[in-house]
Each structure stands twice: as C-alpha cells, then as structure tokens.
Amino acid sequence: MTVGSRAGVLALLIGFCAPISTKADNVDDYVSARMRQLHIPGLSLAIVRDGRITKAQGYGFANLELRAHATKETVYEIGSNTKQFTAAAIMMLVEDGKIHLEDPIVKYFPEAPEAWRDITIRHLLSHTSGIQNHVAVPHWLDVFKTELTFETSPARDELLKMFFKLPLEFQPGETWAYDNTGYYLLGIIIENASGKSYWQFLDERIFKRLGMDATRSTDPQPLVPNRASGYEWKTDHFENRPILIPPIAFSAGSLLSTVDDMAKWDAALSSEKLLTKTSLNQIWTATLTNHGADAPFSYGFGWFVDSYHGHRIVQHSGGTPGFSSAIYRFVDDKLTIIVLTNHSDMIVDELAIDLAGICLPALKRPEAKPDPNPRTTAKSKAIVAGLLKGDYEPAAFTAPMLMFLNTATGKAFWKWFADHGVLGSFVFSDREERRDGEIRRYKLSLGGNWYWLSVTTSNDGKIAQIYWW
C-alpha cells in the first residue's frame, strides 16, 4: 500500500481551461457512480496538482437525517490518517533533540514488561515492535462496552496495564504488523517529551502554523461546525454508526479534519515548513526487517510507501465506525488525492487510485488482459482464496510474511476482507520487475465489487507482500 496528502494556503481554482474542465466532469461522473455502487452517503475530495487545488468538492450528504449536503468544508473523522501527524510530531521532537529514534521505550514506560526492553521509538513508528495490536485481538474490546467519556474510562494507567499484559507476537524488527497500540504509546511519549498534551502539541506546532482551523480531536462533546455523521450500510438501508470508543484511539486515530485542511497539510509536506528534508526522507523510507528483507507491507513512519512503474507514492487510509478516508501523494508527479467519506468499512484506496488515473493517464491501472503466465495467476488466486478462508500453505510465503499472517493483525486483516463477500473473478492486470523479484497486479471481485490486488514475489518465487490497492 502507499499514500499521501499535502497543501498550504492554496486558492481553489475557479476558471478551468477546457482540458481540465473535461477531467473535472470525468471525476464527478466517476465519484457519483462509485458512491451509488458502494452505498456511500457523503464524500468530500481534494485534488492537488503542482501545489494548487484543482478540485475541492463535496458529494452526497454529510447528514442523511437532516439532508445536509457534504462540501469541501465538511468535517470527517480521518481514523488512522492521524498516524502521519503523530509521526511528524515525533520527528519534530527528534529535531528538537528531546528524543532519539533509538531510545528504548521503557525509558518512558518503566513499568513495561521485560519483553519490551529492546523495543525502540523507531520500532513503534514503523509497526515493527512486535507489540500486539489490541484492536485486532479477539474480544479485547469487550472491556469497553460501557458508557465512556472522551477523556478516560478506563484511565490511561489502567489501559497501559492492559497493554503490558499483551504478549509480543515477534521479536522487535523481525517482521511488520500494523499496530494501533504502538501509536497510542507514541502519543504518550510526545506528551512526556514535550511537557504538553498530545492535542496541545499538534495544535501549536502543526495546526495553527498551517491554518488547519477545522482539525481537532474526535471528542464528541464539543459543537463542531460542519461535522459529518457516520453511517453503515445494512443490506438495503443506512444506519447510524455505533458509538465511537474514544479512549483507545488517541494518537493512533482520533482526529477530525476536512479536505481543505488536509490540502494545507499536503503543502507543508512539500516544503520544509515543519520538518527538514532529512526527517521527511526518513518518514518516507520503507522499513526492512532485521535481516534486510522486505517487510510484509512497505511502511515508513506513519505512511505506506511504494511505487507504480517508477511513480513514487506515499499513502495512508483510515477508518473508524462510520468513516473512511484515504490520502495518496504521487510524489514525483506532484499529484495528491484526498478522499474523506462518512461510510465505515470502505476500501477507499481504490477511489483515490482511480481518481489519480483520471488526472494522469500514466497512473491509470490497465484493465484485464491476457496473462503471459496463466499458471501464476491461477496459483495467486488459489492463495488468495485460501487466505480469505484462513487456510494457506506456509511454504508459499517468505519468513516475514508468514510471521505477519500469524499475528492478530494479519488474521484480522484477511477476515475483514473475507467479510466483503465471496471471491469471484480474478484477472491479471500487469506485472512489474523489482530489484529482487516481481510484482503482479490483479483485479478481482468480492461480493460483486471490484478491487485491486498486488502480489510481490521474491526471486525464489515466495510471496513477500500481498495487499489490496
């Protein structure tokens, strides 16, 4: 996977030339069609080209009951896109000399178990710590099925004690597994190192400096102008989303924002307004395992990093009950796609990728075509079918990938996709040679909807990465 988003104080272009006007119409047609197909009640998007917003618009409804339309000012929960702000805050403190990436986290959590002794801040940033993702542990969230306030309940100390009881799933740096627990811990480290609350630090060092006036915590109590309501699609109708469980998201996923604000963030990432180029390069460098192998997902600090036929991409998606978002930054092409929606459990990455292809033909995914190696496609389909059922042949994967599949995150990841429906068509799209293998891309259907899948194999034919986008 891969992502992005950036922009400063950008003026929305009013007069488009003829070619851009055509693309704008294509974008509107595409978005409207996909919203109908995927049952998305409301969506806001921003397209940034060469540092200028060429489109910022809302579609559908921010609130179905009030029939309030979505606009570019609509405020959405952005879920795990919060992590890029947490990572940036950590790197600011690194530049300030207040923390170091190789600091062991027991420096900040002296009550942590002995097994955490070798875990560093770098491991938390890159999801390579081995700490279990508490959100993915079966039944772990049952403890929160009580009425909660935003601030506590359970108190942070109690929550940390619960984290400390989670066993490590692998030794630090052995593999990669997405970990909300680690990013929650990073928020506490930011507070300890800065002497300010996480929210105060972000507000003073990022939001105020960039004019991100609508970006704030997801605290449900304050009145937030233009805040969207979240929804879920149930068979043939919408329902209001379940109540968000605030205490467990924090620095891993508790931000509200708008496409306008995220465009300002995108602009700052294209300059050295907040961080030096050296720090940004570290953020967008894929982490390798201890043995120098590719991790199951290419991830830096708070961003997925990848490329598509030479086009560098940094990206992230996010989701909370009732909301989904995606930010894709095509770095060399100076193109950013930002998509925010008020529908939960959506794979919105495909929307961002398709929109990028509308804006720049070189990024358009090719449709199905004859496979030069049909046996490989048949093998890939069989492996995917097995993963969706929780049944696979371990010998087909590299050691880091196999380790990931056995983590709580790995199991939850494939169960989540399996819940999208029965696997149908599975067709070859294209292939690309990599330094130590190849990546093959497919278009497949789950539950009647189409998705993109990428499979990266090493030179010995084992699967090193397999992901949806």
Side-chain angles (χ1 to χ4, degrees):
M1 294 184 169
T2 41
V3 216
S5 100
R6 74 173 97 89
V9 181
L10 301 174
L12 175 61
L13 298 183
I14 299 175
F16 294 110
C17 63
I20 295 181
S21 178
T22 299
K23 289 182 180 178
D25 290 342
N26 290 342
V27 167
D28 292 342
D29 292 343
Y30 169 79
V31 170
S32 297
R34 295 301 281 150
M35 287 179 69
R36 287 193 298 271
Q37 293 166 353
L38 299 174
H39 307 293
I40 300 175
L43 179 152
S44 297
L45 70 82
I47 298 173
V48 183
R49 296 292 306 272
D50 297 315
R52 300 179 303 166
I53 297 178
T54 59
K55 191 175 187 68
Q57 187 170 325
Y59 303 82
F61 295 98
N63 184 289
L64 290 173
E65 290 156 311
L66 299 176
R67 309 302 283 176
H69 291 279
T71 71
K72 63 189 183 71
E73 289 90 15
T74 297
V75 178
Y76 299 85
E77 294 180 13
I78 64 171
S80 283
N81 278 307
T82 300
K83 291 180 173 66
Q84 59 202 253
F85 294 95
T86 299
I90 287 287
M91 295 307 292
M92 287 176 176
L93 291 168
V94 169
E95 290 185 359
D96 292 344
K98 293 186 176 180
I99 62 176
H100 300 88
L101 292 178
E102 308 311 325
D103 282 346
I105 66 172
V106 292
K107 173 180 177 180
Y108 302 93
F109 304 99
E111 302 302 318
E114 176 65 18
W116 289 26
R117 179 172 50 84
D118 295 327
I119 299 173
T120 65
I121 290 176
R122 182 186 297 275
H123 288 132
L124 297 185
L125 285 167
S126 59
H127 296 299
T128 58
S129 69
I131 297 173
Q132 281 198 50
N133 181 9
H134 63 279
V135 176
V137 176
H139 307 299
W140 199 90
L141 297 182
D142 289 351
V143 70
F144 297 103
K145 289 183 177 177
T146 57
E147 185 175 350
L148 301 173
T149 66
F150 186 79
E151 293 298 330
T152 54
S153 183
R156 178 179 290 178
D157 288 347
E158 184 181 350
L159 192 58
L160 285 175
K161 289 178 182 178
M162 296 166 70
F163 289 166
F164 294 159
K165 293 178 182 178
L166 294 172
L168 289 188
E169 296 187 295
F170 52 86
Q171 291 304 303
E174 280 190 320
T175 189
W176 177 99
Y178 195 81
D179 182 23
N180 287 289
T181 312
Y183 267 77
Y184 184 103
L185 298 174
L186 286 170
I188 298 175
I189 292 173
I190 290 167
E191 294 185 337
N192 289 344
S194 68
K196 300 178 180 180
S197 76
Y198 172 77
W199 308 111
Q200 183 182 6
F201 186 90
L202 261 57
D203 192 53
E204 293 178 0
R205 296 289 296 270
I206 299 178
F207 304 151
K208 279 188 169 63
R209 291 187 64 187
L210 301 182
M212 297 175 65
D213 299 328
T215 305
R216 64 190 72 195
S217 80
T218 54
D219 187 343
Q221 290 184 315
L223 299 179
V224 177
N226 303 312
R227 192 197 305 231
S229 298
Y231 300 97
E232 293 183 347
W233 179 256
K234 298 290 187 180
T235 308
D236 60 356
H237 66 282
F238 286 108
E239 291 184 0
N240 286 305
R241 61 93 175 263
I243 299 298
L244 176 64
I245 309 298
I248 62 171
F250 186 42
S251 47
S254 280
L255 280 180
L256 297 171
S257 195
T258 66
V259 293
D260 272 352
D261 271 12
M262 294 305 292
K264 294 173 184 177
W265 167 243
D266 175 65
L269 295 174
S270 297
S271 68
E272 294 187 74
K273 186 168 185 178
L274 297 178
L275 291 166
T276 65
K277 187 174 182 179
T278 298
S279 292
L280 290 171
N281 285 339
Q282 288 188 80
I283 286 173
W284 296 324
T285 297
T287 302
L288 300 176
T289 67
N290 290 341
H291 304 292
D294 286 331
F297 287 84
S298 297
Y299 201 91
F301 300 162
W303 293 88
F304 290 93
V305 298
D306 207 345
S307 66
Y308 177 70
H309 291 288
H311 299 266
R312 287 190 300 148
I313 313 168
V314 295
Q315 57 89 359
H316 216 289
S317 55
T320 58
F323 294 90
S324 301
S325 60
I327 304 162
Y328 273 66
R329 303 182 72 243
F330 299 84
V331 182
D332 299 324
D333 302 291
K334 297 182 179 179
L335 169 67
T336 295
I337 308 293
I338 303 165
V339 181
L340 308 181
T341 79
N342 59 346
H343 188 330
S344 65
D345 206 28
M346 292 297 305
I347 306 176
V348 292
D349 300 74
E350 62 167 310
L351 303 183
I353 294 167
D354 287 349
L355 288 168
I358 293 173
C359 295
L360 193 63
L363 298 174
K364 181 177 174 58
R365 290 298 176 86
E367 292 300 323
K369 58 186 177 183
D371 186 353
N373 192 342
R375 291 181 62 185
T376 302
T377 292
K379 179 180 177 182
S380 296
K381 181 177 182 179
I383 289 172
V384 170
L387 288 168
L388 291 169
K389 296 175 182 176
D391 179 23
Y392 51 85
E393 175 53 55
F397 303 95
T398 62
M401 183 67 187
L402 182 60
M403 211 175 300
F404 163 73
L405 292 174
N406 285 300
T407 64
T409 291
K411 294 173 182 176
F413 180 82
W414 282 97
K415 181 182 183 304
W416 182 68
F417 282 112
D419 290 342
H420 284 72
V422 176
L423 176 64
S425 298
F426 192 100
V427 293
F428 175 77
S429 173
D430 76 335
R431 67 178 293 276
E432 182 179 346
E433 291 187 1
R434 294 291 177 100
R435 56 181 171 79
D436 55 356
E438 70 169 5
I439 180 168
R440 294 170 63 88
R441 300 183 178 92
Y442 302 95
K443 192 174 184 181
L444 67 154
S445 66
L446 279 178
N449 290 316
W450 288 96
Y451 305 95
W452 292 105
L453 179 80
S454 298
V455 179
T456 301
T457 53
S458 56
N459 285 326
D460 61 4
K462 292 192 175 184
I463 294 176
Q465 297 179 335
I466 182 167
Y467 49 87
W468 301 75
W469 75 281

